[in-house]
């Protein structure tokens, strides 16, 4: 596994991380298998995929417990990332827990579920519109001083918001959805991250499975999978986007690799500290994703992928 550092001065991590959300939340709810997920996490560590990403609202709460179970006795091998600042109820997930007292309580609860004394990287999952960013960020900065958190990150933020946070405490990482399908954050936000040595962690780097060739029509999605409600998984969008996937397939065929590996390799070319965090709960896909770090795309490949047309439904 090729490596980089988590930001300019952070710990060494594999160029590919592991998002654990789908192991217990969101995707294919009937396919949950905690024992297999623990094996996937253990295999990830063997492969050098040592950056694990979770959040308190995944489950809610059960995903952190699962990750805590998996890393018990192996904490030193893991660069652990989690997120807080949101609540979840029957109506969905809400960015309404950004007050300092809420974040302090959330961090303590995450530490208990994860079974650890500190988290390597803690994100504000979404900014609370009712709380000034500086208050939320300042409260977390105090927890860095207290030793409960090693570094801080922001998720789905603008360049202006990153700069506001930097005036209070260093921003080690930024997490946004980014892929060949979703490029909105690959402009000024990524440019700033590259300039400042901030880690950029794309989630859903495989377009929520479409860029892996896993789904070509809506009926391919498992029963109860929340992706069925996203515009990109409608009949018209998927029919349009399959043509884009075919271009990626052509690049993959030239190299004798998989679609997923091409999609991940393209992201790795976007910056030294770009660390995609594809999620999976299957050993086969974990190993496939990890091998994406070894794929080197040519200038011709990159030009072809850069020129892909805008997909339908990519914003959701």
């Amino acid at each position: 596994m090729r490596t980089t550092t988590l930001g300019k001065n952070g710990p060494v991590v594999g160029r590919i991380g592991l998002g654990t959300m789908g192991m217990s939340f969101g995707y294919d709810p009937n396919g949950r298998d905690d024992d297999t997920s623990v094996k996937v996490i253990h295999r990830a560590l063997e492969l050098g995929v040592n950056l694990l990403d979770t959040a308190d609202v995944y489950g809610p709460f059960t995903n952190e417990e699962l990750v805590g179970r998996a890393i018990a006795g192996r904490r030193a091998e893991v660069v652990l990332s989690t997120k807080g600042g949101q609540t979840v109820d029957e109506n969905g997930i809400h960015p309404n827990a950004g007050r300092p007292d809420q974040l302090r309580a959330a961090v303590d609860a995450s530490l208990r579920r994860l079974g650890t004394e500190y988290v390597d990287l803690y994100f504000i999952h979404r900014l609370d519109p009712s709380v000034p960013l500086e208050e939320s960020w300042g409260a977390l900065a105090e927890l860095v001083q207290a030793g409960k958190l090693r570094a801080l990150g922001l998720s789905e933020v603008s360049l202006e918001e990153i700069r506001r946070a930097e005036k209070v405490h260093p921003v080690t990482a930024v997490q946004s959805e980014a892929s060949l399908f979703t490029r909105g954050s690959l402009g000024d936000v990524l440019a700033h991250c590259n300039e400042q040595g901030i880690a950029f962690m794309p989630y859903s780097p495989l377009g929520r499975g479409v860029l892996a060739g896993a789904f070509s029509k809506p009926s391919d999605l498992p029963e109860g999978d929340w992706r069925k409600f996203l515009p990109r998984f409608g009949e018209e969008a998927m029919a349009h986007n399959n043509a884009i996937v075919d271009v990626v397939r052509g690049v993959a065929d030239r190299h004798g690799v998989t679609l997923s590996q091409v999609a991940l390799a393209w992201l790795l070319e976007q910056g030294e500290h770009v660390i995609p965090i594809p999620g999976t709960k299957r050993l086969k896909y974990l190993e496939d994703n990890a091998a994406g770090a070894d794929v080197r795309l040519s200038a011709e490949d990159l030009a072809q992928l850069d020129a892909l047309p805008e997909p339908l439904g990519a914003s959701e």
Side-chain angles (χ1 to χ4, degrees):
M1 171 62 66
R2 292 160 58 196
T3 61
T4 185
T5 54
L6 187 64
K8 192 181 300 183
N9 301 307
V12 174
V13 294
R15 286 302 309 267
I16 304 291
L18 175 62
T20 64
M21 181 192 80
M23 293 177 174
S24 49
F25 182 72
Y27 301 157
D28 187 15
N30 299 317
R32 179 175 172 177
D33 183 340
D34 285 1
D35 289 340
T36 297
S37 293
V38 168
K39 292 177 183 176
V40 168
I41 292 173
H42 289 170
R43 178 61 175 149
L45 298 180
E46 293 172 2
L47 293 170
V49 180
N50 63 330
L51 175 58
L52 306 181
D53 183 77
T54 181
D56 56 6
V57 295
Y58 298 162
F61 313 127
T62 55
N63 195 245
E64 285 185 324
E65 292 171 348
L66 171 65
V67 172
R69 171 186 163 194
I71 67 174
R74 305 186 65 168
R75 180 67 180 88
E77 302 174 51
V78 177
V79 176
L80 184 58
S81 164
T82 193
K83 302 180 283 291
Q86 298 197 107
T87 60
V88 60
D89 59 25
E90 65 277 5
N91 297 314
I93 300 175
H94 314 283
N96 59 359
R99 295 196 318 269
D101 62 311
Q102 291 175 307
L103 287 169
R104 285 190 288 267
V107 167
D108 286 341
S110 288
L111 292 174
R112 287 194 299 272
R113 286 188 291 269
L114 291 163
T116 183
E117 295 181 353
Y118 67 94
V119 168
D120 296 285
L121 177 61
Y122 192 87
F123 285 92
I124 298 180
H125 205 161
R126 295 290 189 276
L127 296 179
D128 185 336
S130 68
V131 180
L133 164 60
E134 290 78 5
E135 289 186 19
S136 301
W137 197 244
L140 294 179
E142 292 175 0
L143 295 180
V144 173
Q145 293 298 317
K148 294 183 178 183
L149 310 175
R150 294 282 172 88
L152 304 180
L154 293 162
S155 180
E156 293 292 2
V157 288
S158 67
L159 174 57
E160 186 268 338
E161 288 164 337
I162 295 170
R163 285 175 167 160
R164 284 172 56 193
E166 287 174 322
K167 293 177 181 178
V168 178
H169 184 86
V171 177
T172 293
V174 170
Q175 189 170 138
S176 294
E177 180 171 0
S179 70
L180 283 164
F181 266 16
T182 308
R183 306 189 189 201
S185 60
L186 299 180
D188 58 358
V189 168
L190 176 61
H192 182 77
C193 289
N194 286 339
E195 290 168 3
Q196 300 301 316
I198 296 171
F200 184 79
M201 292 168 53
Y203 70 84
S204 298
L206 304 179
R208 302 187 189 274
V210 178
L211 287 167
F215 315 107
S216 60
K217 55 187 184 301
S219 59
D220 292 337
L221 288 163
E223 193 63 36
D225 193 306
W226 72 278
R227 286 173 290 192
K228 286 179 178 286
F229 301 101
L230 298 179
R232 76 180 68 177
F233 290 97
E235 290 279 0
E236 181 183 359
M238 293 196 79
H240 172 89
N241 295 339
N242 284 340
I244 299 174
V245 174
D246 285 342
V247 176
V248 182
R249 183 176 288 108
V251 175
D253 289 345
R254 284 203 297 271
H255 287 270
V257 300
T258 66
L259 286 160
S260 299
Q261 289 166 352
V262 169
L264 293 169
W266 179 82
L267 279 169
L268 295 182
E269 292 290 340
Q270 307 307 310
E272 177 185 357
H273 299 291
V274 173
I275 310 163
I277 50 171
T280 185
K281 51 190 172 188
R282 294 178 175 85
L283 285 167
K284 172 186 175 182
Y285 297 140
L286 167 74
E287 293 174 350
D288 183 71
N289 293 340
D294 298 322
V295 175
R296 301 300 179 104
L297 300 174
S298 69
E300 178 187 357
D301 297 327
L302 293 170
Q304 188 175 12
L305 295 171
D306 289 344
L308 285 172
E310 185 75 18
L312 289 183
S315 61
E316 293 292 346

